[in-house]
Coordinates of all heavy atoms in Angstrom, one line a residue:
R1 N 32.2 47.0 85.5 CA 32.3 48.2 84.6 C 33.4 49.2 85.2 O 34.2 49.7 84.4 CB 31.0 48.9 84.5 CG 30.0 48.0 83.6 CD 28.6 48.7 83.5 NE 28.7 50.1 83.0 CZ 28.8 50.4 81.7 NH1 28.8 49.4 80.8 NH2 28.9 51.6 81.3
A2 N 33.3 49.4 86.5 CA 34.3 50.4 87.1 C 35.7 49.9 87.0 O 36.6 50.7 86.7 CB 33.9 50.7 88.5
A3 N 35.9 48.6 87.2 CA 37.2 48.0 87.2 C 37.9 48.1 85.8 O 39.1 48.4 85.7 CB 37.2 46.6 87.6
R4 N 37.1 48.0 84.8 CA 37.7 48.1 83.4 C 38.2 49.6 83.2 O 39.2 49.8 82.6 CB 36.6 47.7 82.4 CG 36.5 46.2 82.2 CD 35.6 45.8 81.1 NE 35.4 44.3 81.1 CZ 36.0 43.6 80.2 NH1 36.8 44.1 79.3 NH2 35.8 42.3 80.2
Y5 N 37.4 50.5 83.6 CA 37.8 51.9 83.4 C 39.1 52.2 84.3 O 40.0 52.9 83.9 CB 36.7 52.9 83.9 CG 35.6 53.1 82.8 CD1 34.3 52.7 83.0 CD2 35.9 53.7 81.6 CE1 33.3 52.9 82.1 CE2 35.0 53.9 80.6 CZ 33.7 53.5 80.9 OH 32.7 53.7 79.9
F6 N 39.0 51.7 85.5 CA 40.2 51.8 86.4 C 41.5 51.2 85.8 O 42.5 51.8 85.8 CB 39.9 51.3 87.8 CG 40.9 51.5 88.8 CD1 41.1 52.8 89.4 CD2 41.8 50.5 89.2 CE1 42.1 53.0 90.3 CE2 42.8 50.7 90.2 CZ 42.9 52.0 90.7
G7 N 41.3 50.0 85.2 CA 42.5 49.4 84.6 C 43.0 50.1 83.4 O 44.2 50.1 83.1
A8 N 42.1 50.8 82.7 CA 42.5 51.6 81.6 C 43.0 53.0 82.0 O 43.3 53.8 81.1 CB 41.3 51.8 80.6
G9 N 43.1 53.3 83.3 CA 43.6 54.5 83.7 C 42.7 55.7 83.9 O 43.1 56.8 84.0
D10 N 41.4 55.4 83.8 CA 40.3 56.5 83.9 C 39.5 56.3 85.2 O 38.4 55.8 85.1 CB 39.4 56.3 82.6 CG 38.5 57.5 82.5 OD1 38.4 58.4 83.4 OD2 37.8 57.6 81.5
R11 N 40.1 56.8 86.3 CA 39.4 56.6 87.6 C 38.1 57.4 87.6 O 37.1 57.0 88.2 CB 40.3 57.1 88.7 CG 39.7 56.8 90.1 CD 40.6 57.3 91.2 NE 40.2 56.8 92.5 CZ 39.2 57.4 93.2 NH1 38.6 58.5 92.7 NH2 38.8 56.9 94.4
A12 N 38.1 58.6 87.0 CA 36.9 59.5 87.1 C 35.7 58.7 86.5 O 34.6 58.8 87.0 CB 37.1 60.8 86.3
S13 N 35.9 58.1 85.3 CA 34.8 57.3 84.7 C 34.4 56.1 85.6 O 33.2 55.8 85.6 CB 35.2 56.8 83.3 OG 35.4 57.9 82.4
A14 N 35.3 55.5 86.3 CA 35.0 54.5 87.2 C 34.1 55.0 88.3 O 33.1 54.3 88.7 CB 36.3 53.8 87.8
V15 N 34.4 56.1 88.9 CA 33.6 56.7 89.9 C 32.2 57.1 89.4 O 31.2 56.9 90.1 CB 34.3 57.9 90.6 CG1 33.3 58.5 91.6 CG2 35.6 57.5 91.2
R16 N 32.1 57.6 88.2 CA 30.8 58.0 87.6 C 29.9 56.7 87.5 O 28.7 56.9 87.5 CB 31.0 58.6 86.2 CG 31.5 60.1 86.4 CD 31.3 60.8 85.0 NE 32.3 60.4 84.1 CZ 33.5 61.0 84.0 NH1 33.9 62.0 84.7 NH2 34.4 60.6 83.1
E17 N 30.5 55.6 87.3 CA 29.7 54.3 87.3 C 29.0 54.2 88.6 O 27.8 53.8 88.7 CB 30.5 53.1 87.0 CG 31.1 53.0 85.6 CD 30.0 52.8 84.6 OE1 29.0 52.1 84.9 OE2 30.2 53.2 83.4
G18 N 29.7 54.6 89.7 CA 29.1 54.5 91.1 C 28.0 55.5 91.2 O 27.0 55.2 91.9
V19 N 28.1 56.7 90.7 CA 27.1 57.7 90.7 C 25.8 57.2 90.1 O 24.7 57.3 90.7 CB 27.6 59.0 90.1 CG1 26.4 60.0 90.0 CG2 28.7 59.7 90.8
Q20 N 25.9 56.7 88.9 CA 24.8 56.2 88.2 C 24.1 55.0 88.9 O 22.9 54.9 88.9 CB 25.1 55.9 86.7 CG 25.7 57.0 86.0 CD 24.9 58.3 86.1 OE1 23.7 58.4 85.9 NE2 25.6 59.4 86.4
A21 N 25.0 54.1 89.4 CA 24.4 53.0 90.1 C 23.7 53.4 91.4 O 22.7 52.8 91.8 CB 25.6 52.0 90.5
S22 N 24.1 54.5 92.0 CA 23.5 55.0 93.2 C 22.1 55.6 92.9 O 21.2 55.5 93.7 CB 24.4 56.1 93.9 OG 25.6 55.4 94.3
W23 N 22.0 56.3 91.7 CA 20.7 56.8 91.3 C 19.7 55.6 91.1 O 18.6 55.7 91.5 CB 20.8 57.6 90.0 CG 21.3 59.0 90.1 CD1 22.5 59.5 89.7 CD2 20.6 60.1 90.7 NE1 22.5 60.9 90.0 CE2 21.4 61.2 90.6 CE3 19.3 60.2 91.3 CZ2 21.0 62.5 91.1 CZ3 18.9 61.4 91.8 CH2 19.7 62.5 91.7
L24 N 20.2 54.6 90.5 CA 19.4 53.4 90.3 C 19.0 52.8 91.7 O 17.8 52.4 91.9 CB 20.1 52.3 89.5 CG 20.2 52.5 88.0 CD1 21.1 51.4 87.4 CD2 18.8 52.5 87.4
A25 N 19.9 52.8 92.6 CA 19.7 52.2 93.9 C 18.5 52.9 94.6 O 17.6 52.3 95.2 CB 21.0 52.3 94.8
V26 N 18.6 54.3 94.6 CA 17.5 55.0 95.3 C 16.2 54.8 94.7 O 15.2 54.5 95.3 CB 17.9 56.5 95.3 CG1 16.7 57.3 95.9 CG2 19.1 56.8 96.2
G27 N 16.1 54.9 93.3 CA 14.8 54.7 92.6 C 14.3 53.3 92.8 O 13.1 53.1 93.1
L28 N 15.1 52.3 92.6 CA 14.6 50.9 92.8 C 14.2 50.6 94.2 O 13.3 49.8 94.5 CB 15.7 49.9 92.3 CG 15.9 50.0 90.8 CD1 17.1 49.1 90.4 CD2 14.7 49.5 90.0
G29 N 15.0 51.2 95.2 CA 14.7 51.0 96.6 C 13.3 51.5 97.0 O 12.6 50.8 97.7
V30 N 13.0 52.7 96.5 CA 11.7 53.3 96.8 C 10.5 52.4 96.2 O 9.5 52.1 96.8 CB 11.6 54.7 96.2 CG1 10.1 55.2 96.3 CG2 12.5 55.6 97.0
V31 N 10.8 52.0 95.0 CA 9.8 51.1 94.3 C 9.6 49.8 95.1 O 8.4 49.3 95.3 CB 10.2 50.7 92.9 CG1 9.3 49.7 92.3 CG2 10.2 52.0 92.0
F32 N 10.7 49.2 95.6 CA 10.6 48.0 96.3 C 9.8 48.2 97.6 O 8.9 47.3 98.0 CB 12.0 47.5 96.7 CG 12.0 46.1 97.3 CD1 12.0 45.0 96.5 CD2 12.0 45.9 98.7 CE1 12.0 43.7 97.1 CE2 12.0 44.7 99.3 CZ 12.0 43.6 98.5
V33 N 10.0 49.3 98.3 CA 9.3 49.6 99.6 C 7.8 49.7 99.3 O 6.9 49.1 100.0 CB 9.8 50.9 100.2 CG1 8.8 51.3 101.3 CG2 11.2 50.7 100.7
V34 N 7.4 50.4 98.2 CA 6.0 50.6 97.9 C 5.3 49.3 97.6 O 4.2 48.9 98.0 CB 5.8 51.6 96.7 CG1 4.4 51.6 96.3 CG2 6.3 53.0 97.2
V35 N 6.0 48.5 96.7 CA 5.4 47.2 96.3 C 5.2 46.2 97.5 O 4.2 45.6 97.6 CB 6.3 46.6 95.2 CG1 5.8 45.1 94.9 CG2 6.2 47.4 93.9
V36 N 6.3 46.1 98.3 CA 6.2 45.1 99.4 C 5.2 45.6 100.4 O 4.4 44.7 101.0 CB 7.6 45.0 100.1 CG1 7.5 44.1 101.3 CG2 8.5 44.3 99.1
Q37 N 5.1 46.9 100.8 CA 4.1 47.3 101.7 C 2.7 47.1 101.2 O 1.8 46.7 102.0 CB 4.3 48.8 102.0 CG 5.5 49.2 102.8 CD 5.5 48.8 104.2 OE1 4.6 48.1 104.7 NE2 6.5 49.2 105.0
A38 N 2.5 47.2 99.9 CA 1.1 47.0 99.3 C 0.8 45.5 99.3 O -0.4 45.2 99.5 CB 1.1 47.6 97.9
A39 N 1.8 44.7 99.0 CA 1.5 43.3 98.8 C 1.9 42.4 100.0 O 2.0 41.2 99.9 CB 2.2 42.8 97.6
A40 N 2.2 43.0 101.2 CA 2.8 42.3 102.3 C 1.9 41.1 102.7 O 2.5 40.0 103.0 CB 3.1 43.2 103.4
V41 N 0.7 41.3 102.9 CA -0.2 40.3 103.5 C -0.3 39.1 102.5 O 0.0 37.9 103.0 CB -1.6 40.9 103.8 CG1 -2.6 39.7 104.2 CG2 -1.5 41.9 104.9

């Protein structure tokens, strides 16, 4: 997604893809920790 924006000359939109992906990363990472700790055994 970011590469298409970059190729079209819109670097700011490409970086914003990274911002939104990072929000997803934090949220999904916390969920993964909780689930694995609960179901580890």
Side-chain angles (χ1 to χ4, degrees):
R1 290 177 56 82
R4 283 184 182 257
Y5 281 114
F6 185 73
D10 189 355
R11 187 182 188 280
S13 292
V15 176
R16 282 194 288 270
E17 292 290 331
V19 172
Q20 303 311 312
S22 297
W23 279 112
L24 283 176
V26 173
L28 293 172
V30 170
V31 170
F32 188 86
V33 170
V34 172
V35 170
V36 171
Q37 291 288 9
V41 173

